[in-house]
Amino acid sequence: MLAAAGPVFARRGFDRATVREICGLAGVNVAAVAYYFGDKLGLYREVFRQIRQRCQNDVLDTSVIAGDPRLALYLQVRHLLSRVLARDDSGWESQLMMREMNQPTAVFDEMVQESIRPQFERLIETLSLLSPPATPLPVLERLVLSLVGQCLYYRIGAGVVKRLIPADRMASDFDIDSLSKHITAVTLAAAENGLVLEHHASLGRLADALTQAHSSDLKP
Amino acid sequence: MLAAAGPVFARRGFDRATVREICGLAGVNVAAVAYYFGDKLGLYREVFRQIRQRCQNDVLDTSVIAGDPRLALYLQVRHLLSRVLARDDSGWESQLMMREMNQPTAVFDEMVQESIRPQFERLIETLSLLSPPATPLPVLERLVLSLVGQCLYYRIGAGVVKRLIPADRMASDFDIDSLSKHITAVTLAAAENGLVLEHHASLGRLADALTQAHSSDLKP
DNA sequence: GAACGTTTTAAACGCTTGTTTAATTTCCGA
DNA sequence: TCGGAAATTAAACAAGCGTTTAAAACGTTC
């Protein structure tokens, strides 16, 4: 029954998903949700509790590759991306996560603290090894958020991407392999060169030009 | 009345938004929606038509800064970010756009063709000037999608970011100014150094290592 | 001021939703 | 075999939704 509820919640969202559809798919009576989970929200919370348990068994073991931070970064990107772009039976999990993101319920706080924050701090650690010494923490944080944003956009903006990129090139140039290599390369290029504008050689004049650009060009 | 419908649709979504709330907020009777727009969906479509008209007047004039592609990139990033992170009365527009993204209705296709695709191709053009000559088109496309993903994540993942970053540093290090500089710097570092893994000097060994890493580390 | 098309109003309709109820079936140990 | 707790069922309930209706109010024109 939980197996039937997950995909429906992911596809329809909490409100649009009806207990009748879930129970019809599971082959049980509609009263079962009240009998076993109290109400619809209880079923929803139970689905998330199950997801969280499954995520804890799915953590990437980065200790064995601690020697090469670049490889560690690549594997973390690929791990995140392959879960985001999963097309098989586990694809509804990430979709359900996305729904919680821009419509946070009470379930969301536990999700962030137990699953997202550890992954976030592990990425901070990896990138601190790849950045110049004494890189400020905000720079590393922004870099991690850039990385996560790039990965998640292929789920959130899937509708946009599908309409912008032809289907044939979609399969060849935007598969998990190409994308994880691309995002790793972008992040590496940014981290290893240092991101503070003033430190970036080719951006010296830009830092000066942008200050006067705000007032003149933004409000014509 | 359209002014009242926009924020409600953005905050609640199409299904959760009730015509009673919209009309109550606008101070009109619930029958007005049927009288003027046919039904609820007609009102929804009219809201989007108004957004599209407003967007066409809001295009960034890049012709005046065609001489400096780096500055053009920065302005385009800032333009997108400031619309995404808008907190004032126009904040509901981007939120409504995000809802259409992962729940596409019939309105979405017009939105992509009329607003998103031109902006996408303008970014492709700008980045082609900043990348090494003869950079393949898929590389440029992935780079643009990376850029857009980074920007949009601060709206979609706003709930995550708020829970991961302390509020005080949120205001100082993650404002529009800092973020647009950061994302511009990331994209520039990636574009100017070239992104094909084999061309990136420091990634030579990584390209070899990752092929054997898939089979051994991903499924332990 | 009367007549007429337009707009606004309050009330009700039909439908779907989550939830509950009471009756029925199933299961298992004494 | 039997009896009672547990589980399942069909039916009904109350509430909220979008939509419709018919009457009232409005404004314009002659």
Side-chain angles (χ1 to χ4, degrees):
Chain A
M1 179 167 182
L2 285 165
V8 176
F9 277 134
R11 186 158 37 90
R12 306 275 204 204
F14 179 76
D15 301 281
R16 302 176 57 154
T18 69
V19 299
R20 282 175 172 82
E21 178 181 0
I22 293 174
C23 295
L25 224 67
V28 299
N29 194 276
V30 292
V33 50
Y35 186 78
Y36 285 103
F37 305 100
D39 58 353
K40 186 183 178 183
L41 186 67
L43 172 61
Y44 190 68
R45 297 176 69 93
E46 196 60 32
V47 168
F48 265 87
R49 181 196 311 278
Q50 197 173 274
I51 287 184
R52 257 184 293 126
Q53 282 184 3
R54 208 174 314 166
C55 275
Q56 286 178 357
N57 303 342
D58 199 26
V59 288
L60 191 62
D61 184 20
T62 55
S63 60
V64 296
I65 50 173
D68 189 348
R70 279 196 278 260
L71 181 56
L73 176 68
Y74 173 79
L75 289 179
Q76 282 175 286
V77 167
R78 190 185 174 87
H79 181 73
L80 176 60
L81 204 53
S82 60
R83 197 187 306 182
V84 162
L85 291 185
R87 295 240 175 278
D88 56 355
D89 56 334
S90 74
W92 59 270
E93 294 185 2
S94 59
Q95 194 172 348
L96 197 53
M97 209 95 95
M98 301 297 152
R99 287 195 180 279
E100 271 294 313
M101 268 192 187
N102 55 3
Q103 199 83 37
T105 70
V107 190
F108 190 53
D109 285 283
E110 310 168 354
M111 208 57 164
V112 171
Q113 301 303 334
E114 286 196 32
S115 297
I116 299 181
R117 183 182 287 276
Q119 202 170 352
F120 178 74
E121 286 170 354
R122 208 154 44 228
L123 279 169
I124 291 266
E125 205 169 333
T126 303
L127 280 180
S128 71
L129 298 175
L130 292 165
S131 301
T135 298
L137 179 60
V139 176
L140 293 175
E141 290 173 332
R142 285 195 294 249
L143 214 43
V144 170
L145 291 181
S146 287
L147 188 154
V148 176
Q150 290 177 69
C151 292
L152 265 56
Y153 186 61
Y154 287 95
R155 161 68 69 174
I156 297 158
V160 184
V161 176
K162 187 174 302 186
R163 287 168 173 81
L164 287 179
I165 308 293
D168 53 337
R169 282 225 315 284
M170 190 74 189
S172 59
D173 299 322
F174 293 85
D175 58 325
I176 291 184
D177 226 71
S178 306
L179 286 180
S180 45
K181 285 180 185 176
H182 165 80
I183 296 176
T184 303
V186 169
T187 308
L188 271 178
E192 295 184 338
N193 290 332
L195 273 183
V196 185
L197 267 188
E198 290 73 18
H199 293 177
H200 202 290
S202 61
L203 291 181
R205 288 164 303 175
L206 177 57
D208 307 332
L210 56 86
T211 56
Q212 66 188 22
H214 298 167
S215 50
S216 62
D217 279 318
L218 282 183
K219 299 291 182 185
Chain B
M1 180 169 182
L2 284 166
V8 175
F9 277 134
R11 186 159 37 89
R12 306 276 204 201
F14 179 77
D15 301 282
R16 302 176 57 154
T18 69
V19 299
R20 284 175 169 84
E21 179 182 0
I22 293 174
C23 295
L25 223 67
V28 300
N29 193 274
V30 291
V33 50
Y35 186 78
Y36 284 103
F37 305 101
D39 57 353
K40 186 183 178 183
L41 186 66
L43 172 60
Y44 191 68
R45 296 176 69 94
E46 197 59 32
V47 168
F48 266 86
R49 182 197 311 277
Q50 198 171 274
I51 286 184
R52 257 184 294 126
Q53 282 184 3
R54 209 174 313 166
C55 275
Q56 285 178 356
N57 304 342
D58 198 27
V59 288
L60 192 61
D61 183 20
T62 55
S63 60
V64 296
I65 49 174
D68 189 350
R70 279 195 278 260
L71 181 57
L73 176 68
Y74 172 79
L75 289 179
Q76 282 174 285
V77 168
R78 189 184 175 87
H79 182 71
L80 177 59
L81 247 182
S82 61
R83 196 188 306 182
V84 162
L85 291 184
R87 296 241 175 278
D88 57 353
D89 56 333
S90 74
W92 59 270
E93 294 185 2
S94 59
Q95 195 172 348
L96 198 52
M97 209 96 94
M98 302 296 152
R99 287 195 180 280
E100 271 294 313
M101 270 193 186
N102 54 3
Q103 200 84 37
T105 70
V107 189
F108 190 54
D109 284 283
E110 308 169 354
M111 207 57 162
V112 171
Q113 300 302 334
E114 288 196 33
S115 296
I116 299 181
R117 181 182 289 277
Q119 201 170 354
F120 178 75
E121 286 171 352
R122 208 155 44 229
L123 279 169
I124 292 266
E125 206 169 333
T126 303
L127 281 180
S128 72
L129 298 176
L130 292 165
S131 301
T135 297
L137 179 59
V139 175
L140 292 176
E141 289 172 333
R142 285 195 296 249
L143 213 43
V144 171
L145 291 181
S146 287
L147 188 153
V148 177
Q150 290 177 69
C151 292
L152 264 56
Y153 187 61
Y154 287 96
R155 161 68 70 174
I156 296 158
V160 183
V161 176
K162 189 175 300 185
R163 287 167 173 82
L164 287 179
I165 308 294
D168 54 337
R169 282 223 318 281
M170 190 73 188
S172 59
D173 299 321
F174 293 85
D175 59 325
I176 290 184
D177 226 71
S178 306
L179 287 180
S180 46
K181 285 181 185 175
H182 165 81
I183 295 176
T184 304
V186 170
T187 308
L188 270 178
E192 294 186 337
N193 289 331
L195 272 184
V196 184
L197 266 188
E198 289 73 19
H199 293 177
H200 201 291
S202 61
L203 291 182
R205 287 164 303 174
L206 177 58
D208 308 331
L210 57 86
T211 55
Q212 65 189 22
H214 297 168
S215 50
S216 62
D217 279 317
L218 281 184
K219 298 292 180 182

